[in-house]
Amino acid sequence: NGSSASVTMFVSPQPVEATDDAFWDQFWADTATSVQDVFALVPAAEIRAVREESPSNLATLCYKAVEKLVQGAESGCHTEKERQIVLNCCRLLTRILPYIFEDPDWRGFFWSTVPGAGRGGGDEDDENARPLAESLLLAVADLLFCPDFTVQSHRRSTVDTAEDIHSIDSCEYIWEAGVGFAHSPQPNYIHDLNRTELLKLLLTCFSEAMYLPPSSDSSNANPWVQFFCSAENRHALPLFTSLLNVVCAYDPVGYGIPYNHLLFSDYREPLVEEAAQVLIVTLDYDSSTSSSPTVDGTTTGTAMDDVDPPGPDNLFVNYLSRIHREEDFQFILKGVARLLSNPLVQTYLPNSAKKIQFHQELLVLFWKLCDFNKKFLFFVLKSSDVLDILVPILYFLNDARADQSRVGLMHIGVFILLLLSGERNFGVRLNKPYSVRVPMDIPVFTGTHADLLIIVFHKIITSGHQRLQPLFDCLLTIVVNVSPYLKSLSMVAANKLLHLLEAFSTTWFLFSAVQNHHLVFFLLEVFNNIIQYQFDGNSNLVYAVIRKRNVFHQLANLPTDSQSIQKGLQRRKKTPEPISRTNSQDGVSMEGSRPAAPAEPGTLKTSLVATPGIDKLTEKSQVSEDGTMRSLEPESLQPPPEGNLPSAVSDGEPWSGEVSHPRRDQRRLSSASSSGQWTPTPDWVMSWKSKLPLQTIMRLLQVLVPQVEKICIDKGLTDESEILKFLQHGTLVGLLPVPHPILIRKYQANSGTAMWFRTYMWGVIYLRNVDPPIWYDTDVKLFEIQRV
C-alpha cells in the first residue's frame, strides 16, 4: 500500500521538497481506505519519529494535506477521485493532529502562516497571510455544504452546470428539518458518512484543549473553536442549525420494527454522535464571565431573536441563546427527551430496540440549552414535559450510583436537577402522579414524581460509593428547594427522609467532619417547609415525624461537653459504613430491575476537577408572597459570627446554608491536634447547635403527640390507618410559629463549574472515541486517564 511505503521514506531525515507532488500524492491517492486503515498504517511511533527527526517533512505533510482540502472546497469535489483525496487528507489530519498538540513546540504550528501558501497566484496577498488553522477550518466548513458530497444537489443537471460552491446559500442546504428549517432532505447514507468524517476532523482540531492543564482562567478560550464559531465562518448559522436538528430529530427506534437495527446499519447514529460532540464543544463557553444574553419577550418572524445586546462573539452560543419560538423549543425538548429515555425503553424482546450510548453528551447539551437560554428553561418547566427529562436523569443517577467510572454522570445529573429546582414550577410539576414503571432498583411505591426523586436520592446517599459524598449537599439542596411545593409525600418517601435525618444526626457523624451538620440543617428545613406550607396533604410525613420524634429530641439535647464528643467519635470506629442501611425498611425492589453494579475492574475513566461548594454553586433568593423571587445579597463581607451561620437562626429566619470556612473555624472553634487533624470542640458544637431550627417541629410534637397517644389508648389502636385519618383532618392553624419566608438556593454560573464541564465533556469524548482511538496514548493534560 502506498501510504505505508511512504511513511517510512518520510521518516528519513532528508527533507522532501513541497513541490515533489509524486511523493506527497501517494499519501492520499489510495482509493479504498477507511479512517481505521489510516490509523493502522500510520503508527504513533512513526508520527513521533517524524516530528523529532524530520520536522520539515511533517510540516510539509500538514501543509499539503490542508492545501488539498482547500482545493477540494474550491472546486466543489465533483469527481470521485477528488472526493477520495479529500477524505484521505481528512483521515490523515485526524491521525496526526493529536501528536502536533501534545508537543508544546509544535502547538503554534497551525497558527503560523506558511510562506507563499496563498490560494494560487500572487494577486491574493491578503489570503496569503491566513494561518494554516484558519484555512483548514474554512475548508472543512465549505466541504460540509458541498453539493453531491455532503448535501443533496439542488440542480438536476450534469456536472458542467454544477453549483458553484461560493455562490450557494448554505442556509438552503441545512441537513435536517427542525429549528429554523422546514424541509427534511432525503436521507443519503454516503452524505452522512462523509459528514461524519469531516466532523471527526473538526472535533480533532478542537481537541487542542485536551493538551492544556485545567486552569480557572477562562480567558484562555480555544482558538480553534473561537475562529470556527466567529463571523469569519460564513456557514456558522446553517452548520449550528444542522448539528442541532440532526441530533434532535434522530429517532433510534426507527420505524418501530423490532430488531430492525440488527439488519440495517444505521448511518445516522455515528453522524448524530459526532454532531452532538461537536455541538457541546463549540458551546464550551464560560457564561459567568460575561453578561449572558437575555432576550425580551418580543418575537420576530425568524428563528433567532434580533434583539440587542448582540451577545457573545461565539456565534453558536449566540444563536443558541436567541432561539425563542415555541415550536422550536418543543422540537428540541421532545428530541432530547426521546433520546434520553431510549435506554429506559423496555420492550418484551431484549435488544429489540437500538440503545444509544451518547446520553452524557445529551445531558451536557441540555445543560447548555438551559444555562444559555432562559426562555428555553421556562418553556421546559411550563408543562409536565420536564418530567420526561427528570425520569431518565433519576434512572441514570440510580443506575450509576455504585460505579466509580461514572462519577461524572452523577454530577451532571445532579447539576441539572439543581438548576431546575431553583424555579418554583419544578417543585409544582413534581406533584404529578408517577405511573410510568421504569424498572429501577428502588422500593416499590405509589405516589408522585417527588416521591421518586426522594427515594432515588436516599438510595444514592445510603448505597452509592464514597466518592459521591461531595454531592450530598447538592442532593439535599434540591429537596429543600422543592419542599415548599410538595402536596403529599408517600409513606415510603416520608420514611426515607426520616431515615436520612436519623443517619446524619448520629453523634459520630455530626462530630466527624467540620461540615457534616449542614446536612441536618437542610433536612430540618425540608420538614419545616412542608409543615408550614403543605401541612394539609402531608399526613404521612407528619406521622413519620411523630413516630421518629426521639431523633428530634436527641438533636435538641445533643451533648456539647468534651467527654461526650469523644465518646461520640469512639462510636465511629465501630461503625465503618458512613450511613447504615438498617431500619430504612427497604421493601421489594421493582420488578425487572437490576441492582446498580460497580464498574468492571480495569474500566477506563478520566479524572475530574473538584466542584465548587454549595455556597459557591448557588445564591439565595427569597420567595415573596406573590411568588416572585428576590435575590438576597450576601450581607457585608465582614466575617459573620461563629461557624459562618447567621447569628440567630430561629424559624422566622431560616438557616442560610452558608458553608463554614473550615480553616477559619478550626482556629477559632476547635483545636487542631498535633497531627494537624481537625477535632471538634464544645464551642464549635455550641456554635451551630444553638441555631438548629427545631421550633416548628417541637411545637407540632407538643400539640399532636398527646392527641395521638390518647386515640391509641382510648381505641386500643395499633393500626396506623386510624391515626393517619385523624392527622389528615387535623389542623395546626394558629398553633405553629409564624411561617418563615421560603428560601430558594438558585444555581449561579461560576468559573469553577465551567472548568468542571470542560474536563468532564472532553473526558467523555476521549473515552467514547475508540474506533478509531483518536487520542489514545497521547499525552493529554486536561485530565488523567485512570483504571478502576
Side-chain angles (χ1 to χ4, degrees), residues 168-187:
I168 71 169
D169 173 6
S170 44
C171 285
E172 293 172 13
Y173 291 84
I174 287 170
W175 300 350
E176 186 55 77
V179 176
F181 194 65
H183 167 66
S184 189
Q186 259 322 100

Side-chain angles (χ1 to χ4, degrees), residues 753-782:
T753 36
M755 194 61 232
W756 184 89
F757 272 96
R758 184 171 305 155
T759 52
Y760 170 60
M761 167 183 83
W762 279 114
V764 168
I765 290 171
Y766 176 96
L767 293 173
R768 300 255 302 105
N769 281 275
V770 287
D771 183 27
I774 301 183
W775 300 282
Y776 194 69
D777 272 347
T778 59
D779 189 14
V780 296
K781 294 277 193 293
L782 185 61

Side-chain angles (χ1 to χ4, degrees), residues 386-665:
V386 65
L387 303 174
D388 298 336
I389 300 284
L390 170 74
V391 172
I393 289 178
L394 291 175
Y395 171 85
F396 292 128
L397 290 178
N398 188 56
D399 188 55
R401 68 177 192 266
D403 182 341
Q404 296 251 356
S405 69
R406 292 197 282 168
V407 178
L409 171 62
M410 298 293 295
H411 276 77
I412 186 164
V414 172
F415 283 161
I416 289 173
L417 298 184
L418 179 65
L419 179 70
L420 295 174
S421 76
E423 307 298 331
R424 172 183 177 273
N425 262 356
F426 182 64
V428 174
R429 299 283 160 243
L430 291 179
N431 290 308
K432 188 176 176 182
Y434 176 67
S435 49
V436 220
R437 286 284 167 244
V438 176
M440 282 164 86
D441 168 30
I442 53 171
V444 179
F445 70 98
T446 305
T448 65
H449 285 76
D451 294 309
L452 176 68
L453 177 132
I454 288 168
I455 292 166
V456 169
F457 283 11
H458 173 270
K459 200 82 170 170
I460 294 167
I461 291 171
T462 56
S463 65
H465 55 80
Q466 288 282 276
R467 299 210 20 224
L468 298 180
Q469 265 196 325
L471 279 177
F472 290 1
D473 274 345
C474 263
L475 291 167
L476 293 187
T477 297
I478 294 164
V479 181
V480 173
N481 280 348
V482 300
S483 60
Y485 311 111
L486 304 184
K487 293 200 181 316
S488 135
L489 287 184
S490 70
M491 191 59 94
V492 178
N495 284 334
K496 296 295 176 218
L497 286 174
L498 277 137
H499 176 243
L500 289 178
L501 182 69
E502 215 172 348
F504 290 147
S505 58
T506 59
T507 48
W508 70 260
F509 185 77
L510 285 174
F511 297 158
S512 60
V514 73
Q515 72 293 340
N516 282 357
H517 61 276
H518 298 155
L519 300 173
V520 169
F521 276 85
F522 282 135
L523 284 163
L524 291 176
E525 201 174 332
V526 171
F527 296 135
N528 287 336
N529 281 341
I530 294 178
I531 291 166
Q532 288 280 19
Y533 291 99
Q534 299 289 347
F535 179 82
D536 285 352
N538 274 299
S539 51
N540 287 328
L541 183 75
V542 174
Y543 178 65
V545 167
I546 292 173
R547 277 192 42 223
K548 292 281 183 188
R549 56 189 178 277
N550 62 323
V551 180
F552 299 97
H553 290 302
Q554 279 164 7
L555 268 175
N557 301 314
L558 188 73
T560 54
D561 57 291
S562 307
Q563 202 181 354
S564 307
I565 293 174
Q566 283 317 307
K567 212 159 93 186
L569 289 172
Q570 291 308 309
R571 214 170 297 168
R572 178 181 202 180
K573 299 190 172 71
K574 296 181 207 126
T575 328
E577 265 307 296
I579 289 153
S580 68
R581 303 196 54 181
T582 49
N583 67 20
S584 121
Q585 297 118 5
D586 256 12
V588 188
S589 271
M590 295 173 71
E591 197 179 338
S593 66
R594 288 196 312 275
E600 291 286 321
T603 307
L604 287 181
K605 65 187 180 84
T606 53
S607 62
L608 291 162
V609 293
T611 50
I614 194 76
D615 53 336
K616 295 271 189 307
L617 268 181
T618 54
E619 60 180 5
K620 290 182 290 298
S621 297
Q622 196 167 310
V623 181
S624 321
E625 308 224 328
D626 59 359
T628 56
M629 284 194 198
R630 63 182 181 86
S631 180
L632 293 180
E633 286 307 311
E635 288 83 51
S636 63
L637 292 170
Q638 66 195 46
E642 314 299 87
N644 201 11
L645 296 172
S647 46
V649 178
S650 66
D651 272 7
E653 170 80 8
W655 171 62
S656 72
E658 291 287 282
V659 172
S660 322
H661 295 294
R663 278 192 204 85
R664 202 171 65 216
D665 289 349

Side-chain angles (χ1 to χ4, degrees), residues 696-751:
T696 299
I697 293 168
M698 288 310 190
R699 184 78 186 118
L700 172 133
L701 293 173
Q702 194 187 352
V703 174
L704 292 179
V705 170
Q707 298 182 5
V708 170
E709 282 176 343
K710 186 171 181 325
I711 296 176
C712 294
I713 293 163
D714 290 355
K715 303 199 174 167
L717 278 183
T718 47
D719 174 24
E720 46 186 55
S721 62
E722 283 288 329
I723 301 169
L724 283 168
K725 207 175 294 173
F726 161 73
L727 292 173
Q728 266 159 15
H729 299 105
T731 173
L732 290 176
V733 174
L735 295 171
L736 292 178
V738 179
H740 53 274
I742 295 174
L743 253 196
I744 302 289
R745 294 174 184 82
K746 287 171 80 90
Y747 167 80
Q748 56 171 351
N750 59 79
S751 49

